[in-house]
Amino acid sequence: MANSASRPDRAYHQDYICRIRYENSLPPPPGSVKLLDIPIDGLDYYASPGFASRLHRSQPINIEADAELGMPIDLVGMPGVFDGDESSIQAPLIPPPVHSRDKNLLRPLSELGKPKYQPGGISFLRRTEYISSDAARARSEAAPKTTPKAAAAKLRKTVDTSKDDPVHVLRAAVKGFDLAHPEDAYTGTDTQDSIKGLEPTPAEIEAWNNPKHPTKSNLKAVDFYPILPDLEAGTDTGNYMIAKFTANPTQIINKHDPRMDVGLLRPIELDDATVAEYSARLAAHTADPVHNLHPGGPPFNYHFFLPTDENSAINLKRKLDVDDSDRDDLELYTAKNKDGKSIFRLSQQRVYETGRSTAPDADHAYNEIALALHDPDLEVLGVGGSSNRLEKAAYYYPVMQKVQLKPYRSKTLAQLGVASRTDDEGFDVIDVIDVVVENLDKVENAKRHRHRAELLGEAVEEDGAEDGDS
């Protein structure tokens, strides 16, 4: 350690400011307070309604504005508001893109104006104007002198175009898999089926072995799940749809209703007028997508059904669980139909209509996915894991469309019992529905097999697929 006595003494100049406040207490006035009667007749002139009217006529408004200043509050002119269609007063589900000229208006306040320089280590006794001038002078003296050619060369940044090469991008992607599974890393020469990944850096290896949260360094990873597709949980379309209710569909509000896990939405067939209107809006979007937003998915109405009690919901979940050894037991059914067949009886809660929905896009279904963490040895809600179908992983499921469901608002007096519910609504209202769980038939298996083959990159059999050979 260097001795402090060996360092040369430096003189620090510091201004001293002393503030003294002097009190100047004035004595009370020698005489008593005298109030004068000052005439204020001119105030009546300025407070009269005629003055405001003359001022309005002499000073017209120099802007063009409607009676509501761009914010309509009169719902009479809004189409469909009193029929239950609130789309005209709601913001679009997909906001239009911001114009390039308007992006500067969205900058935060911290980016406006000139950047402020805040020097450090300066005494509070210094005045700010001297601080800014001294700091600017110090920066200018410390900065190295650069020639115009050197400055121009500094502005021209070299871009490594080799990183944009498709082979380089593929090698970088393979490097991530090699980090996760170094025992499976390919180290041979590149072939048509196999390619060697980039060599990971020591920093990347350390980041993989000891992961850290990007913003919260005090957090630690407690477990890891590989991300995999659930190949056996496919649907007829190969995708899923997320339905969100605008209000609680059940009367239970203080806890989760287990019946919602096996709820059933039954779409109602669209009438000809609705199909024609939707087709016109879709054609307008196809012709001019800039000025006409996509109408979303078809505006279906849905019957929503739930089991009658919690025990029926539990038995129905067991019936749908492929890992339950008693799933084929007929005792799980909680009701029988008129023919004596064991069934699950679900009652209708109400009819829902489509409020807003995103455009279904099966070609880009993996833009949004649902993720489910699965551990066969983990207890969930007091039930031990017993699934041998899937290994421990985070399984993703492609989401093709998102739909917002709101309670159906009748356009007639049928809700009050004045009119018939079947004729005026345009559809039959179903009170209960009987559900029987069965295995997939050949056609359903063939559809799932086709989507699974496309995901794995295997050849898809076009002929005979509908016959059920899978």
Side-chain angles (χ1 to χ4, degrees):
M1 179 182 297
N3 189 3
S4 60
S6 62
R7 292 180 295 182
D9 296 337
R10 297 179 60 184
Y12 295 93
H13 177 72
Q14 188 174 21
D15 297 334
Y16 176 73
I17 298 176
C18 179
R19 295 183 179 180
I20 300 177
R21 296 184 178 180
Y22 297 92
E23 295 184 1
N24 187 12
S25 301
L26 298 178
S32 58
V33 179
K34 182 180 180 181
L35 300 179
L36 301 178
D37 187 10
I38 302 176
I40 54 174
D41 298 336
L43 186 61
D44 297 335
Y45 169 74
Y46 293 107
S48 63
F51 175 78
S53 300
R54 286 190 295 270
L55 182 63
H56 171 69
R57 290 192 299 269
S58 61
Q59 301 290 335
I61 300 177
N62 59 356
I63 60 174
E64 294 182 1
D66 56 356
E68 297 171 343
L69 298 180
M71 294 182 294
I73 59 176
D74 188 6
L75 301 180
V76 174
M78 297 296 157
V81 170
F82 298 101
D83 295 335
D85 184 10
E86 301 177 354
S87 59
S88 59
I89 61 175
Q90 291 181 348
L93 187 62
I94 303 177
V98 180
H99 196 274
S100 58
R101 297 180 180 178
D102 298 336
K103 289 183 179 180
N104 292 331
L105 301 177
L106 301 179
R107 291 187 302 170
L109 296 177
S110 59
E111 296 183 6
L112 300 179
K114 296 180 179 180
K116 298 180 179 180
Y117 175 74
Q118 298 181 355
I122 304 299
S123 172
F124 68 94
L125 295 178
R126 290 275 188 175
R127 297 182 64 181
T128 55
E129 54 266 28
Y130 297 115
I131 292 175
S132 59
S133 60
D134 294 343
R137 188 183 305 110
R139 290 197 303 270
S140 62
E141 293 176 356
K145 303 298 182 180
T146 57
T147 61
K149 292 184 178 180
K154 185 177 181 180
L155 292 176
R156 292 194 300 268
K157 297 181 179 180
T158 58
V159 179
D160 188 3
T161 57
S162 62
K163 293 185 178 181
D164 296 334
D165 184 67
V167 178
H168 184 275
V169 175
L170 182 58
R171 293 184 188 276
V174 173
K175 179 180 64 174
F177 293 95
D178 293 344
L179 277 172
H181 301 281
E183 67 279 0
D184 298 333
Y186 180 73
T187 57
T189 58
D190 295 342
T191 62
Q192 186 177 0
D193 299 330
S194 302
I195 187 172
K196 182 180 179 181
L198 297 178
E199 190 69 23
T201 62
E204 293 172 340
I205 297 176
E206 176 64 21
W208 174 261
N209 294 331
N210 300 297
K212 295 182 180 180
H213 196 276
T215 58
K216 301 177 182 179
S217 58
N218 58 329
L219 298 182
K220 295 183 179 180
V222 297
D223 207 345
F224 300 90
Y225 290 82
I227 300 178
L228 300 174
D230 191 352
L231 300 177
E232 299 181 8
T235 62
D236 290 350
T237 61
N239 306 287
Y240 289 83
M241 183 177 67
I242 296 179
K244 181 179 180 180
F245 296 91
T246 57
N248 189 7
T250 65
Q251 300 297 327
I252 300 177
I253 58 176
N254 56 351
K255 64 177 183 178
H256 173 67
D257 190 348
R259 299 181 302 163
M260 291 293 296
D261 297 337
V262 289
L264 190 147
L265 284 171
R266 185 177 185 270
I268 302 173
E269 186 177 358
L270 297 176
D271 54 14
D272 297 338
T274 304
V275 172
E277 180 184 358
Y278 175 76
S279 301
R281 296 176 60 187
L282 188 62
H285 168 75
T286 305
D288 188 3
V290 177
H291 298 87
N292 299 293
L293 296 179
H294 198 287
F300 282 104
N301 296 330
Y302 298 88
H303 291 292
F304 181 57
F305 300 90
L306 285 178
T308 55
D309 52 22
E310 184 175 344
N311 182 45
S312 299
I314 295 176
N315 288 1
L316 181 53
K317 290 179 66 176
R318 291 187 59 187
K319 194 70 176 176
L320 298 173
D321 188 3
V322 296
D323 296 316
D324 195 321
S325 57
D326 299 330
R327 62 184 299 265
D328 296 329
D329 190 358
L330 295 179
E331 297 297 330
L332 293 178
Y333 289 102
T334 57
K336 291 183 180 295
N337 60 7
K338 61 181 181 180
D339 297 331
K341 187 176 181 179
S342 300
I343 58 170
F344 291 105
R345 178 152 293 169
L346 278 65
S347 60
Q348 182 195 230
Q349 303 302 303
R350 68 176 307 159
V351 178
Y352 285 89
E353 61 180 344
T354 301
R356 289 182 294 176
S357 64
T358 59
D361 190 358
D363 297 333
H364 303 84
Y366 290 92
N367 290 343
E368 293 190 32
I369 60 173
L371 202 65
L373 301 181
H374 174 70
D375 190 348
D377 299 327
L378 185 65
E379 283 193 2
V380 179
L381 300 179
V383 180
S386 60
S387 175
N388 296 322
R389 182 178 70 88
L390 299 174
E391 59 181 274
K392 177 182 176 181
Y395 292 94
Y396 64 87
Y397 305 89
V399 176
M400 181 179 62
Q401 185 184 8
K402 293 188 293 185
V403 178
Q404 183 189 67
L405 300 179
K406 60 181 182 180
Y408 179 78
R409 305 291 183 183
S410 177
K411 301 182 180 61
T412 64
L413 298 177
Q415 288 183 339
L416 301 178
V418 179
S420 173
R421 293 203 301 171
T422 57
D423 298 336
D424 295 314
E425 299 296 344
F427 53 83
D428 295 331
V429 178
I430 304 174
D431 295 325
V432 295
I433 189 171
D434 296 340
V435 177
V436 177
V437 180
E438 296 179 349
N439 293 327
L440 300 177
D441 56 20
K442 294 182 178 181
V443 176
E444 293 170 336
N445 270 325
K447 292 180 180 179
R448 286 160 174 77
H449 175 73
R450 183 185 301 107
H451 294 299
R452 184 164 57 247
E454 292 176 354
L455 181 61
L456 296 176
E458 300 176 352
V460 180
E461 297 181 1
E462 297 294 340
D463 298 334
E466 298 293 338
D467 298 335
D469 297 335
S470 59

